[in-house]
Amino acid sequence: MTNRIKVLKAAALAAAAAVALAGCGGGGGGGTSNADGKKVMNAMFIGGTADKALIDVVREVTDEFNETNEFNVEMRIETYENEQYKTKLASLMASNSQPDVFFTWSSGYLKPFVAGNKVLDLTPFLDADAEWKGRFNDGVFGPVTFDDKIYAVPHGAAVAVMYYNTGIFAEHGLEVPTTWPEFVDVVTTLKAAGVTPLSAPVKDAWIAGQLLQQIGNAEAGIGLFDETVALTAKWNDPRYVAAGEKLKELQTLGAFPDGYLGMTNDEGRDLFTSGKTAMYYMGSWDMSVLSDSAVAGDIDVFNIPPVTPGENVAVGDVDLAYAVGANTKNADAAAAYIKLFSDTTAQEGFAYDASYLISTNTELDEAKLSPLFIKINALQHDLTAVTPWFDRVFGAGEGVEFNNAAQAIIAGQDPTPRLDELQTFAEANAER
């Protein structure tokens, strides 16, 4: 990567008070030195099998920062698989030992850390650097803003899509469905032909949750999501029950592969990339590994069709959000490191090398983008709205319980009692 880091000295001065407070805690790095006498800082990111290209970009940014920064620091990174990362970060937060820089999801996931004073307010740094703040698309900071203060900087975007194998569809005379009955016809046709219709690896409950949420989007549009967030719609609303019935219908039809209830995300993806399933519902973050797979030339995408014409709502959110631990002893260096991820070179790396949707206004050369990136980007622009994952909006409470309910429904349980239980849980925890 080119050496284009821009040090945030003005921002550091503007945030002097915050920096002084941050340095008083016992958590962040900066307390030890390397062999060259540089203070060591630490950054923690998600780095699963599907994230190799993404982590390569992170490493390039980190190498550049370590070679060029004027803070006399060395940033060291650690990566963890999704669930392992959540457990590790929660443990560090609980012990007030949060990293200097860390990956975070938005909304309800980040909010408890903010409320617990574990995260540094980045507003002074961004407000002191109009060029930096101006790099981002409209609305990017909304999901990471609390009480008008910005606590993380999103460098990417994510949307869940239905990946499908065009070769398998063509072989069986299938077209992209435009209604739910047509989608069911696709499933039944494939099943009758001996083809597993849809890879649904739901060992991790959030995967079942995003599928149920998407069916809910198709069933009732953005209105149901908005009412849910406003707490005017209940979790056992008839529209959620109808979505649950459709998810159970897929299970009854045998849409999913053998062993799907204990299947990991990697195993489910492998079924699709080996041509053993016709469809795979997952986030755009899988683009890179799918683009390098044996069936890359046969992959296209669609959104589960809506009941109401004119509405085209998907599950999606800002992503690659990086935050600074409130206890860091080097807040100015941490902010400079985060800024580098929104630099043109890093953003191009996310898009060209990692096939990751970006959240900045960086102009991209379509000739350097993967065909799958172009397809998903086009689908994203055709959406009328996106709904962030419920476990991001509601966090460890209703968000996680929604995922657990979805996991039970996709296993064949009746949606009504499971959603009744979810609503009872929500009411019992309303004052927490």
Side-chain angles (χ1 to χ4, degrees), residues 1 4-6 8 57-58 61-62 64 125-126 129-137 140-141 152-156 319-322 334-351 358-364:
M1 302 187 82
R4 294 187 291 161
I5 185 169
K6 299 177 181 178
L8 300 179
V57 176
V58 170
V61 169
T62 305
E64 178 180 353
F125 294 97
L126 288 157
D129 192 336
E131 187 274 331
W132 181 23
K133 196 172 184 180
R135 296 177 184 179
F136 295 89
N137 296 328
V140 162
F141 294 111
V153 180
H155 299 91
D319 208 9
L320 303 184
Y322 302 146
Y337 176 64
I338 286 178
K339 178 181 178 181
L340 194 55
F341 286 96
S342 63
D343 193 28
T344 299
T345 304
Q347 289 288 287
E348 289 177 344
F350 286 145
I358 59 176
S359 62
T360 65
N361 50 31
T362 303
E363 292 187 11
L364 299 175

Side-chain angles (χ1 to χ4, degrees), residues 120-351:
L120 187 71
D121 173 16
L122 296 175
T123 313
F125 294 97
L126 288 157
D127 285 349
D129 192 336
E131 187 274 331
W132 181 23
K133 196 172 184 180
R135 296 177 184 179
F136 295 89
N137 296 328
D138 293 342
V140 162
F141 294 111
V144 292
T145 298
F146 305 92
D147 295 328
D148 298 321
K149 296 178 181 179
I150 300 170
Y151 286 92
V153 180
H155 299 91
V159 63
V161 299
M162 186 66 76
Y163 297 97
Y164 73 100
N165 186 310
T166 58
I168 294 176
F169 267 49
E171 181 182 351
H172 298 283
L174 298 172
E175 297 182 356
V176 171
T178 59
T179 65
W180 181 261
E182 289 180 4
F183 182 67
V184 170
D185 285 344
V186 167
V187 170
T188 54
T189 299
L190 290 168
K191 187 67 177 179
V195 177
T196 301
L198 173 57
S199 182
V202 295
K203 181 178 181 180
D204 293 335
W206 68 266
I207 299 177
Q210 79 171 358
L211 183 54
L212 177 59
Q213 185 173 345
Q214 180 54 52
I215 296 173
N217 287 345
E219 180 70 24
I222 191 64
L224 179 57
F225 176 85
D226 289 343
E227 291 171 33
T228 304
V229 173
L231 306 181
T232 57
K234 296 182 177 182
W235 292 106
N236 56 358
D237 183 287
R239 293 167 291 181
Y240 279 127
V241 174
E245 292 289 356
K246 288 182 175 178
L247 180 58
K248 185 180 178 184
E249 179 183 14
L250 296 179
Q251 184 267 340
T252 302
L253 292 171
F256 310 123
D258 293 340
Y260 69 100
L261 294 174
M263 190 175 290
T264 67
N265 192 180
D266 289 349
E267 291 169 337
R269 186 192 315 110
D270 288 346
L271 285 180
F272 180 69
T273 57
S274 62
K276 295 178 181 177
T277 67
M279 295 178 287
Y280 171 59
Y281 186 71
M282 189 50 61
S284 54
W285 53 78
D286 267 8
M287 267 195 285
S288 178
V289 66
L290 292 176
S291 294
D292 289 336
S293 71
V295 296
D298 290 327
I299 300 176
D300 206 335
V301 294
F302 66 88
N303 195 28
I304 292 178
V307 170
T308 304
E311 287 218 57
N312 188 17
V313 184
V315 180
D317 198 8
V318 298
D319 208 9
L320 303 184
Y322 302 146
V324 176
N327 288 341
T328 185
K329 297 176 176 63
N330 296 282
D332 50 351
Y337 176 64
I338 286 178
K339 178 181 178 181
L340 194 55
F341 286 96
S342 63
D343 193 28
T344 299
T345 304
Q347 289 288 287
E348 289 177 344
F350 286 145

